[in-house]
Amino acid sequence: MSYMPQTPQKALPGAYVQTPAHQSQALSQQGQVPQAGAQKTTVEEIPPTARAAKAVNEAFWEESRYPELDSYIGQGISSEYEVSTQSGWAPFQKTKMYPIPDRIFEQYNRAQVSTMMGLFTDFNHAWVAIDNALYLWDYTHPNPDLVSFEDASHTITAVRLVIPRAGVFVPSIIRLLVVSTTADIILVGMSAQTASHGGKTVALYSLKMSAPIKGLDVDVIEGSDASGRIFFSGRGSDDVYEFTYQQEEKWFTNRCAKVNHTTKGYSTLTPSLFFGQKVQQEHVVQMVIDDSRKLLYTLSSKSTIRAFFMRSNSTLDLVINKPLGQILSNVGHMTSQTELLTPAMKIVSISAITAKEASKTNLVASTSSGCRIFMSATSAYGSSPSSSTAPTSMQVQHVKFPPAGNPAPMQNQSSQSGQLIQYSTTPAVNTSSRALSETRSAVRYAPGYFLTFVVGEQQPGTDLLFVSGPDSARIAQPQIQQTPVKYPELALWISLGSRAEDVGLATGEVSATSSPVGFGNELAVQFDSPTPEIAVLTNTGVHMLRRRRLVDIFAAALRLGGGAEGLEGEINKFVRRYGRGEVASTALAVACGQAFDVTPDSRLARISDPEVLQLARKCFIEYGGKPEYPENSIHDRTIPAIDFVRPSPRHSGMARYISRLLRSIWKAPIVMERQTATGGFTVSSVVGLGKLQDISQDLTKLREFLRANKSFIEGLAGPEALGNVQSKREEVSLQGEHRALHALAVLIDRFIEGISFVLVLYDEKIEETILSLANEPRQQLRTLSYEGLCTTEVGKLLAKDLVKAIVNRNIVSGSNVETVAEALRRRCGSFCSADDVVIFKAQEFVKRGAEAGADSDVCRDYLNESLRLFKQVAGSLSMEQLQWTIGQYVALQFYAASIQLCLDKANESDRGNRALTWIQEGRPQGDKRGDAFEGRKKCYDLVHQVILSIEGSRTESPDMVDGHLTLSGKRREEAADEIDTADDEVFQTDLYDWYLQNNRADQLLEVESPYVITYLQRRSSDNVAHADLLWRYYVQKERYQDAAVVQLALAKSRFALSLDKRIEYLGNARTNASTTRPGIVRSSRSEILREVSDLLEVANIQSDLVQRLRSDDRITAERRPEVMEELDGAILPLSVLFNTYCEPAYYFDLCILIYEAADHRVASDIKATWQNLLERAHTTAEEMDQGPAPYEMVAESVRSLGNKLGLSETMFPVTELLPMLKRYAHNFQHESGPETWVLDIFIDLQVPFETMYGTLENMFYNDEAPFQGRQRRLIANDIVYIAKMWFQDSMRGSGSPFGGEDNAIAVSQMLHMMMQSGLDERRLEECQNLRMRVENLLR
């Protein structure tokens, strides 16, 4: 913008106050880029895998909040059961019955004294004791071998399988068979191995360890899994004994012994004597151990429950004695009198509830009337006991009464409708049901499987089995229940057809977590853990009961629910019970083949019925719910609307299903290192490889289902689904749903390939692979989980390291790298893509080139081929791979290729060239495009290193030898050409930055590239040094006018430049603008030159003002820096200089200069200012103690200003100034100084004599005061003096007097008049002589 002078405004009247400062208006800067506007708040985009991981982690968190047992069996009573009469909804199902082998019956028929039977379900074995012989067989084998123990000399009374104490036996002895006879108790060692058919084979070993127990009639044995202690009791008393054993005999202890922990002293040796009526001796009928609390519970024949605390491994302290009367008294506080809980009934069994299942509830006691009494033990002050503190009391916590109705065994599953006895909706609890009144025994397994054996009324000698389990899905969703249900259970009746002898859990305990909260969540582990199975041994065989998972029940409900017509009713029933998200998850599992059922031939098989799978598909697609977008409740509009979308229950169900599939591996480490005895190490998988393959197969089925139904699932259909939306709200909701479901689909793919990658690791000698890693990635691998591998950037990078390690190991071993890489790509493409294969191949070419030698043609061929391959996959190169490649190229003097590859990588990393737009817009802070630039800069930094390497190589090999270009010089020239001709503006910008940061400005000025000017123009807007380089570059290229424009902009800029520096820029700009060169438009040059001159004039005035104020003692020391800071910087407008500084400060000479610069031609203002100037000069001189006389100061002021104004007729009006000075001289300086000092001023300024003569002539004729009367002679004297000086001046050389004849005649006449005007004698004489000479010349 050109500088426009402004006419100064008259200052307001008022006193001068220390030259006030002024807030300047900065001149606009040419070419200045406006600052970017305010940036909107941005939310960082989450990668799909991270978004899906978040959803899966939320699913894990939700399932970890599954209520603990204490929360739904709190203080009170309940009787809520849902008893199924149809197989479709049954919580358990009979899978098969294994008959007792004929060989057992043959032995049984030889029995003489007693027989008993039992199960060792840990090893799928059953046992039978016949007199003094014990036989074991694998009940799952169709023709099992018998394993016998026949070393006992007396009749066997009890058998128990326990875990041995650690360190006593060899490792192969994994169990102890405790055999009690009428005379002694014997330990038998047991080992087990997996057979070829998948079952277990056991072997028994004589340990020669026994203890006498004659007279105790032992029938109850129990062992502690944690400590290996063995306890027993007999029918003769309620004492608790311990069988102790150790590896060797010691001085005071034998290898084996029995210890009585209850009766002390001689009473153990003396039989009990009774007089009168015979009293039945109370004895222990059952023992259970809770290792989590170190408690041993006993149940006596009189239904008394006792608790013993195992404070140490050798003590057993009785801490609680709970008779039946106290239990009934506790129950009486919860319910009114009931026939089911009276002193006549018995407690038939007890089951421990461990601390990891419940924090308060310790024990459940089953009564002969079918009630379950849950009891809690507390320590002092009511706190829950721990493994280190013993409980002191036990109270009834909850009572579960039997179900209503009569026993009704489940019917066949041929019915088309699954009917249930619904939960009671009445507030009253049924406390009078006789359904379980003939309970003979009962057992409970975690997390709540309850089996009650009821004597069959219609078939004496047989049992009916009532089995129930918690409705886990309903317990997990308490918020959807309309009517609160306490401890909901699903149950059914099963007719065994014979008498139950023993029962055992054939699979491991179900536990979703190791703490009470979340422990019983069967839903969470239904696809991750073996389905629980319970074996029931009867005198006809072993009956297997399988726990039916929710997915199995749902599949059966779809099959038996009346087909498509009844589907809606069945699904709505599930939705009401379990929530839409759980139904979606279950339907998806069924559609993916997760449901199982028992076939007519008693085989367990996946449900593959197309109709069932189609109904499950329909349920997932059509009943998955809708996403929600709370448009009206959004307050923060800076966050994208899509982030407020709450995905549908279908999404949560899908995430839940994925979390259940990945449960065992999500947080599991990928590798586990172990030190070997020889100092080496082995690596094994924390999760079995077979388990990984199963998970991969399940995920693959899920992926196939989603791909096959992608167009039907709302949210996966893609952009084409947006054509059906009716509103913006629906559109945003659908976009949010798509983003969420797409993320889960990506996660599925990632985990399938991640598992394949892990399997490849273990196939590829993982120990060698890990050893080849650097220390940091090796440490990371030790803690890397499957979640980290598949969802985090760290895992991705670590996988790349592992892939490289695998490939390098195969290269070293001589394997074909392309074959290895291609195999990796097929199995786990995202971990080793097709681009990775190309990279590995290119790296191999680089290595071959290095082996061939840098100067060989073979090396160049290999390197060129590697460059071709690298350029194909530049976008996939990691920075480590790029750095390695550039390092190899530089070492082999492949400089140009190094630069090419770096630039290709930079362009591939930012295909949209966002970095360039970011630079063009002034590099705004917080802009994401800055990240794109940083990504490019990493590549450019490598180019800088290449440049340094090239410069360093010149010391080893010169460019020229004997006038010829060397090979090294040629390679360096190729690199230089590659840099100069690169069309990457971002690279050129970064390169120029690097030049300047490293003091290489001269190198920048030598660059022949159009980007230099663009770069310097862009950077000059905020950096003086860059602007200086820009005009220097223009001057060097002889573009003087452009240089002048830059210098003018610098003079007008807002940079912190001194006024002198700005004047220097303007002076240089005027010089450059004045320089002519072909091709420059004259009008443009003149315009620039005019603007520069105008601004320079203002700058000079301001400079004079600065110098004047710097020495002005009217300004205080505190004020002076502010004034100097204001003025010694940007060039201020003339109006500011005039009104703010010059006029208030009485700098009238500067005011006149401002008039001149502003072209202010008001004669009255000019005349008044001159008058003020004279008065100010006179006053200043008078105030000075020493110094020039007033007239001298006035004369100097006029003379100095006249020189600056260049005798401007407007600003230096002689016709006004001469009379003004004459009046001043007459009034104030009469007889001071030379008589002609006023005229001498104008003569010194070379004012034309004709002008002075005319002015004096007018003064003489006008007769103005004070030159009136006799005082006119003063003017006459001046006229004579001027005429004389004029004559002398005009006569120099060959000039004519007074410039011409006319002037000479006029002067002669005037002189004649002057002689008659009373001149001084001297002047009169001069006048006469002058006139005479003029007249002589005129003749």
Side-chain angles (χ1 to χ4, degrees):
M1 181 184 294
S2 61
Y3 173 77
M4 298 297 295
Q6 301 181 29
T7 302
Q9 302 298 316
K10 189 70 175 177
L12 295 175
Y16 169 75
V17 184
Q18 294 187 356
T19 312
H22 171 72
Q23 299 298 324
S24 66
Q25 295 178 337
L27 299 175
S28 64
Q29 180 177 338
Q30 182 179 11
Q32 183 174 356
V33 180
Q35 292 185 356
Q39 298 290 328
K40 290 185 177 180
T41 302
T42 57
V43 179
E44 185 176 354
E45 183 64 24
I46 303 175
T49 51
R51 187 179 301 279
K54 179 180 178 183
V56 172
N57 277 316
E58 288 176 354
F60 280 128
W61 180 77
E62 289 176 0
E63 297 204 311
S64 68
R65 295 169 58 228
Y66 182 90
E68 64 175 306
L69 180 65
D70 296 325
S71 66
Y72 55 86
I73 59 163
Q75 191 78 22
I77 61 176
S78 64
S79 62
E80 287 82 1
Y81 294 88
E82 190 168 356
V83 183
S84 173
T85 59
Q86 301 296 330
S87 61
W89 283 84
F92 291 85
Q93 64 184 157
K94 289 178 63 175
T95 55
K96 61 177 61 177
M97 194 274 286
Y98 299 105
I100 297 176
D102 292 339
R103 295 173 60 187
I104 296 297
F105 284 112
E106 293 174 2
Q107 297 293 336
Y108 183 81
N109 292 331
R110 300 173 185 172
Q112 298 179 357
V113 179
S114 67
T115 59
M116 62 181 66
M117 303 175 67
L119 290 170
F120 298 148
T121 52
D122 290 352
F123 304 97
N124 297 330
H125 274 61
W127 60 270
V128 59
I130 303 174
D131 294 337
N132 64 337
L134 178 66
Y135 301 99
L136 288 73
W137 75 94
D138 181 357
Y139 57 77
T140 64
H141 196 280
N143 187 24
D145 295 328
L146 295 185
V147 179
S148 62
F149 172 73
E150 299 176 336
D151 294 345
S153 303
H154 302 84
T155 301
I156 297 173
T157 60
V159 177
R160 189 70 176 177
L161 193 66
V162 301
I163 296 177
R165 182 182 296 124
V168 176
F169 306 103
V170 295
S172 60
I173 303 298
I174 59 174
R175 292 291 188 275
L176 293 179
L177 194 60
V178 186
V179 180
S180 175
T181 68
T182 55
D184 52 10
I185 187 167
I186 306 168
L187 291 188
V188 180
M190 176 187 285
S191 65
Q193 293 180 342
T194 302
S196 58
H197 58 82
K200 296 285 187 179
T201 59
V202 300
L204 302 181
Y205 300 91
S206 175
L207 302 176
K208 300 189 181 301
M209 302 179 77
S210 63
I213 54 168
K214 191 170 184 178
L216 295 182
D217 196 9
V218 174
D219 63 346
V220 179
I221 304 173
E222 189 60 66
S224 168
D225 293 344
S227 62
R229 300 175 70 180
I230 302 171
F231 302 97
F232 61 91
S233 186
R235 295 186 181 93
S237 70
D238 60 350
D239 293 335
V240 176
Y241 294 86
E242 180 179 0
F243 182 89
T244 62
Y245 58 97
Q246 57 189 14
Q247 194 172 25
E248 297 177 352
E249 291 188 2
K250 298 183 180 180
W251 283 99
F252 300 103
T253 56
N254 297 324
R255 289 187 65 198
C256 303
K258 71 174 187 297
V259 178
N260 188 338
H261 286 287
T262 52
T263 304
K264 307 298 180 182
Y266 65 89
S267 61
T268 59
L269 305 175
T270 306
S272 300
L273 301 176
F274 300 95
F275 300 94
Q277 185 179 1
K278 184 177 180 180
V279 179
Q280 185 177 3
Q281 177 68 32
E282 181 181 14
H283 61 277
V284 175
V285 297
Q286 186 183 3
M287 290 183 184
V288 293
I289 291 178
D290 179 4
D291 281 317
S292 66
R293 295 186 176 95
K294 293 186 177 181
L295 291 177
L296 167 67
Y297 301 101
T298 64
L299 173 64
S300 75
S301 57
K302 294 185 178 180
S303 298
T304 298
I305 298 175
R306 296 183 177 90
F308 297 85
F309 184 61
M310 295 179 284
R311 193 177 306 277
S312 66
N313 286 335
S314 60
T315 61
L316 188 69
D317 302 328
L318 176 64
V319 292
I320 296 175
N321 186 59
K322 193 75 173 179
L324 179 60
Q326 290 185 15
I327 296 175
L328 295 177
S329 176
N330 292 157
V331 174
H333 295 290
M334 301 180 183
T335 181
S336 58
Q337 187 174 1
T338 171
E339 296 179 357
L340 301 181
L341 294 173
T342 64
M345 66 88 188
K346 284 188 174 183
I347 297 177
V348 297
S349 69
I350 56 175
S351 298
I353 298 176
T354 62
K356 65 179 182 179
E357 184 179 1
S359 56
K360 295 181 181 179
T361 308
N362 294 51
L363 192 72
V364 58
S366 301
T367 68
S368 58
S369 58
C371 296
R372 278 176 284 168
I373 303 174
F374 293 86
M375 310 180 75
S376 64
T378 59
S379 299
Y381 307 106
S383 62
S384 299
S386 63
S387 60
S388 60
T389 59
T392 57
S393 65
M394 181 179 288
Q395 302 296 327
V396 174
Q397 181 79 7
H398 185 84
V399 178
K400 186 69 180 277
F401 285 91
N406 295 319
M410 185 180 63
Q411 301 176 8
N412 294 330
Q413 59 185 20
S414 60
S415 172
Q416 295 299 313
S417 175
Q419 301 295 324
L420 302 173
I421 300 175
Q422 299 295 330
Y423 292 126
S424 173
T425 59
T426 59
V429 177
N430 188 347
T431 61
S432 59
S433 173
R434 308 289 297 178
L436 302 177
S437 59
E438 296 297 326
T439 295
R440 182 174 63 84
S441 64
V443 65
R444 179 191 182 276
Y445 298 112
Y449 307 147
F450 179 59
L451 288 83
T452 304
F453 298 94
V454 182
V455 176
E457 296 181 355
Q458 299 179 1
Q459 296 180 347
T462 64
D463 288 335
L464 286 177
L465 173 60
F466 177 79
V467 57
S468 66
D471 191 349
S472 301
R474 194 157 192 179
I475 294 173
Q477 304 288 338
Q479 67 275 10
I480 66 171
Q481 298 181 15
Q482 298 177 354
T483 303
V485 178
K486 180 175 286 189
Y487 196 9
E489 289 186 281
L490 300 174
L492 78 157
W493 288 92
I494 298 176
S495 177
L496 296 177
S498 56
R499 179 182 173 86
E501 299 293 338
D502 198 4
V503 61
L505 189 62
T507 55
E509 180 185 72
V510 176
S511 60
T513 65
S514 59
S515 61
V517 177
F519 177 88
N521 193 350
E522 296 178 88
L523 301 175
V525 296
Q526 60 180 325
F527 311 124
D528 183 59
S529 300
T531 304
E533 288 188 325
I534 299 173
V536 179
L537 176 64
T538 68
N539 51 18
T540 58
V542 179
H543 300 259
M544 301 302 299
L545 302 181
R546 177 179 176 270
R547 170 66 162 167
R548 299 186 77 213
R549 306 165 300 167
L550 182 62
V551 65
D552 304 327
I553 296 175
F554 185 78
L558 293 179
R559 185 176 67 247
L560 303 177
E565 297 178 359
L567 177 65
E568 184 174 358
E570 291 296 321
I571 293 176
N572 288 336
K573 184 188 302 182
F574 271 90
V575 171
R576 287 192 301 272
R577 290 170 179 269
Y578 308 132
R580 197 173 293 274
E582 187 59 52
V583 171
S585 175
T586 306
L588 181 60
V590 174
C592 293
Q594 288 287 358
F596 284 81
D597 201 1
V598 178
T599 62
D601 59 349
S602 299
R603 289 186 304 104
L604 189 65
R606 292 183 184 269
I607 296 178
S608 56
D609 184 352
E611 182 179 359
V612 174
L613 300 183
Q614 180 62 22
L615 291 175
R617 169 189 172 276
K618 181 178 181 181
C619 175
F620 177 74
I621 294 174
E622 299 182 6
Y623 294 86
K626 299 284 185 181
E628 296 180 10
Y629 173 49
E631 184 177 10
N632 296 330
S633 61
I634 296 175
H635 302 291
D636 190 353
R637 298 292 176 179
T638 61
I639 299 177
I642 193 174
D643 288 343
F644 291 97
V645 175
R646 184 180 299 110
S648 65
R650 181 188 299 106
H651 168 266
S652 64
M654 184 173 166
R656 196 174 299 175
Y657 178 56
I658 294 173
S659 72
R660 290 168 182 173
L661 293 180
L662 301 176
R663 184 178 184 85
S664 60
I665 69 171
W666 185 259
K667 295 293 185 182
I670 293 176
V671 299
M672 180 170 58
E673 295 184 11
R674 289 191 179 93
Q675 296 293 327
T676 63
T678 59
F681 83 107
T682 60
V683 179
S684 60
S685 177
V686 176
V687 181
L689 300 184
K691 177 70 173 178
L692 290 176
Q693 292 172 343
D694 293 341
I695 294 174
S696 180
Q697 291 175 3
D698 290 338
L699 290 174
T700 302
K701 292 178 182 177
L702 174 58
R703 179 174 66 180
E704 292 172 353
F705 171 82
L706 295 176
R707 289 179 176 176
N709 297 278
K710 180 179 180 180
S711 58
F712 305 103
I713 299 174
E714 183 177 352
L716 279 182
E720 57 271 14
L722 294 175
N724 301 324
V725 299
Q726 303 297 323
S727 64
K728 181 66 176 179
R729 183 173 183 174
E730 289 184 17
E731 180 181 352
V732 174
S733 299
L734 187 58
Q735 289 173 345
E737 179 80 353
H738 173 75
R739 184 174 71 172
L741 290 180
H742 172 71
L744 291 177
V746 172
L747 182 72
I748 293 170
D749 291 339
R750 188 70 177 172
F751 261 90
I752 291 173
E753 295 190 354
I755 292 173
S756 296
F757 178 68
V758 173
L759 294 176
V760 169
L761 277 180
Y762 284 97
D763 289 343
E764 288 287 336
K765 298 181 180 179
I766 188 171
E767 289 86 359
E768 295 181 11
T769 302
I770 292 177
L771 284 174
S772 65
L773 292 176
N775 185 57
E776 182 177 357
R778 183 174 177 183
Q779 293 295 335
Q780 291 175 341
L781 180 61
R782 289 172 179 168
T783 58
L784 183 69
S785 65
Y786 286 85
E787 176 195 11
L789 174 67
C790 299
T791 66
T792 66
E793 189 65 24
V794 173
K796 182 179 179 180
L797 296 176
L798 191 54
K800 293 288 186 182
D801 289 336
L802 290 169
V803 169
K804 288 189 292 185
I806 292 174
V807 172
N808 291 335
R809 189 182 61 79
N810 281 274
I811 292 175
V812 172
S813 63
S815 301
N816 188 305
V817 63
E818 190 171 359
T819 303
V820 175
E822 184 62 28
L824 286 169
R825 188 191 65 80
R826 288 196 307 269
R827 297 184 62 177
C828 41
S830 62
F831 292 87
C832 182
S833 63
D835 288 352
D836 291 330
V837 175
V838 176
I839 291 171
F840 294 141
K841 188 174 182 180
Q843 288 176 335
E844 188 171 4
F845 278 124
V846 174
K847 293 178 180 178
R848 291 179 183 177
E851 294 171 357
D855 295 330
S856 66
D857 293 338
V858 175
C859 173
R860 289 302 162 196
D861 291 339
Y862 280 136
L863 293 181
N864 285 324
E865 181 63 18
S866 71
L867 177 62
R868 184 185 67 81
L869 295 175
F870 278 133
K871 289 170 74 70
Q872 290 178 6
V873 293
S876 300
L877 281 172
S878 68
M879 283 307 301
E880 290 184 357
Q881 291 169 335
L882 182 63
Q883 290 169 355
W884 178 87
T885 304
I886 299 305
Q888 295 294 316
Y889 279 178
V890 169
L892 298 172
Q893 294 187 355
F894 206 35
Y895 302 128
S898 302
I899 297 168
Q900 287 181 28
L901 186 57
C902 290
L903 297 185
D904 285 350
K905 170 61 179 175
N907 290 327
E908 287 295 325
S909 67
D910 179 28
R911 290 187 176 184
N913 217 359
R914 296 187 303 159
L916 180 59
T917 60
W918 178 71
I919 291 173
Q920 291 172 340
E921 294 181 13
R923 310 189 185 202
Q925 294 292 328
D927 196 308
K928 285 186 176 180
R929 294 172 298 177
D931 297 336
F933 174 77
E934 291 301 324
R936 280 175 168 264
K937 193 174 188 313
K938 293 178 181 178
C939 303
Y940 300 151
D941 289 342
L942 292 178
V943 177
H944 303 160
Q945 295 177 15
V946 173
I947 293 174
L948 294 176
S949 299
I950 292 174
E951 294 175 350
S953 67
R954 285 191 170 92
T955 61
E956 300 176 1
S957 58
D959 291 340
M960 305 290 292
V961 175
D962 297 331
H964 298 285
L965 190 65
T966 63
L967 180 60
S968 298
K970 181 180 180 181
R971 292 170 180 173
R972 286 190 284 266
E973 280 193 359
E974 292 173 352
D977 291 340
E978 193 68 39
I979 292 174
D980 291 341
T981 59
D983 59 355
D984 184 349
E985 185 174 351
V986 182
F987 163 66
Q988 297 289 359
T989 299
D990 180 75
L991 178 65
Y992 303 153
D993 283 339
W994 184 71
Y995 280 155
L996 297 181
Q997 290 168 3
N998 291 274
N999 300 320
R1000 295 171 177 241
D1002 293 339
Q1003 193 170 348
L1004 172 61
L1005 296 177
E1006 295 174 0
V1007 174
E1008 295 287 347
S1009 171
Y1011 296 120
V1012 175
I1013 294 176
T1014 304
Y1015 167 78
L1016 292 176
Q1017 284 177 338
R1018 186 183 301 123
R1019 299 305 297 269
S1020 63
S1021 64
D1022 56 5
N1023 190 287
V1024 177
H1026 291 160
D1028 283 336
L1029 284 175
L1030 178 58
W1031 69 258
R1032 287 175 58 193
Y1033 189 83
Y1034 280 140
V1035 170
Q1036 185 168 312
K1037 304 304 177 185
E1038 297 184 355
R1039 295 174 58 175
Y1040 301 111
Q1041 184 174 342
D1042 293 329
V1045 170
V1046 175
Q1047 290 165 335
L1048 175 60
L1050 278 170
K1052 296 162 59 177
S1053 68
R1054 298 181 182 180
F1055 292 133
L1057 298 174
S1058 68
L1059 184 60
D1060 290 341
K1061 188 66 177 177
R1062 295 175 190 273
I1063 293 174
E1064 179 185 345
Y1065 282 133
L1066 290 172
N1068 292 333
R1070 183 166 59 183
T1071 301
N1072 288 321
S1074 301
T1075 304
T1076 60
R1077 190 170 179 267
I1080 297 179
V1081 180
R1082 177 173 296 181
S1083 60
S1084 174
R1085 183 175 69 87
S1086 298
E1087 183 179 351
I1088 295 173
L1089 189 58
R1090 182 188 60 79
E1091 184 178 359
V1092 170
S1093 299
D1094 290 345
L1095 193 59
L1096 183 59
E1097 186 176 2
V1098 177
N1100 286 327
I1101 294 172
Q1102 186 171 331
S1103 178
D1104 291 342
L1105 178 61
V1106 170
Q1107 299 302 323
R1108 196 78 58 85
L1109 289 174
R1110 185 171 285 124
S1111 59
D1112 197 327
D1113 56 6
R1114 292 175 293 173
I1115 305 177
T1116 63
E1118 295 79 8
R1119 175 71 173 144
R1120 193 181 307 277
E1122 298 179 13
V1123 175
M1124 290 299 103
E1125 182 180 0
E1126 176 71 18
L1127 290 172
D1128 194 13
I1131 301 173
L1132 301 179
L1134 288 172
S1135 59
V1136 174
L1137 297 177
F1138 182 87
N1139 294 321
T1140 306
Y1141 295 102
C1142 294
E1143 190 175 49
Y1146 309 143
Y1147 299 151
F1148 297 113
D1149 54 340
L1150 297 183
C1151 291
I1152 295 171
L1153 292 175
I1154 291 174
Y1155 291 156
E1156 172 72 13
D1159 198 19
H1160 183 67
R1161 296 177 178 273
V1162 180
S1164 59
D1165 289 346
I1166 297 171
K1167 181 179 180 180
T1169 304
W1170 273 108
Q1171 185 65 48
N1172 291 334
L1173 173 63
L1174 301 182
E1175 293 175 1
R1176 183 60 182 167
H1178 177 80
T1179 304
T1180 302
E1182 286 185 338
E1183 292 175 352
M1184 296 173 61
D1185 296 334
Q1186 294 180 354
Y1191 82 91
E1192 292 178 331
M1193 182 165 288
V1194 169
E1196 181 60 30
S1197 297
V1198 175
R1199 187 179 292 108
S1200 174
L1201 188 55
N1203 286 324
K1204 293 180 180 178
L1205 293 173
L1207 301 182
S1208 169
E1209 294 182 1
T1210 305
M1211 298 302 139
F1212 196 80
V1214 178
T1215 56
E1216 296 291 342
L1217 290 177
L1218 184 53
M1220 189 184 302
L1221 284 169
K1222 289 300 297 181
R1223 286 192 292 272
Y1224 166 77
H1226 180 272
N1227 296 334
F1228 299 100
Q1229 295 296 303
H1230 186 61
E1231 297 182 354
S1232 295
E1235 180 182 355
T1236 60
W1237 69 270
V1238 173
L1239 299 178
D1240 291 339
I1241 294 173
F1242 294 97
I1243 294 172
D1244 292 343
L1245 292 173
Q1246 297 182 355
V1247 174
F1249 288 100
E1250 186 176 5
T1251 303
M1252 292 185 286
Y1253 177 82
T1255 302
L1256 292 171
E1257 185 178 21
N1258 290 336
M1259 291 177 65
F1260 182 81
Y1261 286 124
N1262 289 340
D1263 196 21
E1264 297 177 356
F1267 304 109
Q1268 297 173 333
R1270 285 186 57 81
Q1271 298 302 322
R1272 289 179 66 192
R1273 62 184 177 83
L1274 298 177
I1275 301 301
N1277 290 336
D1278 290 341
I1279 291 175
V1280 173
Y1281 179 72
I1282 286 297
K1284 175 184 177 183
M1285 300 303 293
W1286 188 7
F1287 177 79
Q1288 293 176 358
D1289 182 72
S1290 62
M1291 293 305 293
R1292 292 191 180 100
S1294 59
S1296 59
F1298 303 108
E1301 184 177 352
D1302 294 337
N1303 287 340
I1305 295 172
V1307 172
S1308 177
Q1309 294 174 356
M1310 188 65 185
L1311 291 175
H1312 178 69
M1313 185 181 296
M1314 293 299 100
M1315 289 187 296
Q1316 301 173 4
S1317 300
L1319 295 173
D1320 296 337
E1321 292 182 1
R1322 185 171 56 86
R1323 292 298 180 193
L1324 179 58
E1325 183 180 356
E1326 291 178 356
C1327 182
Q1328 291 173 349
N1329 293 333
L1330 178 61
R1331 185 171 181 275
M1332 184 181 300
R1333 294 179 65 184
V1334 173
E1335 288 294 332
N1336 291 333
L1337 292 174
L1338 289 176
R1339 292 194 181 105

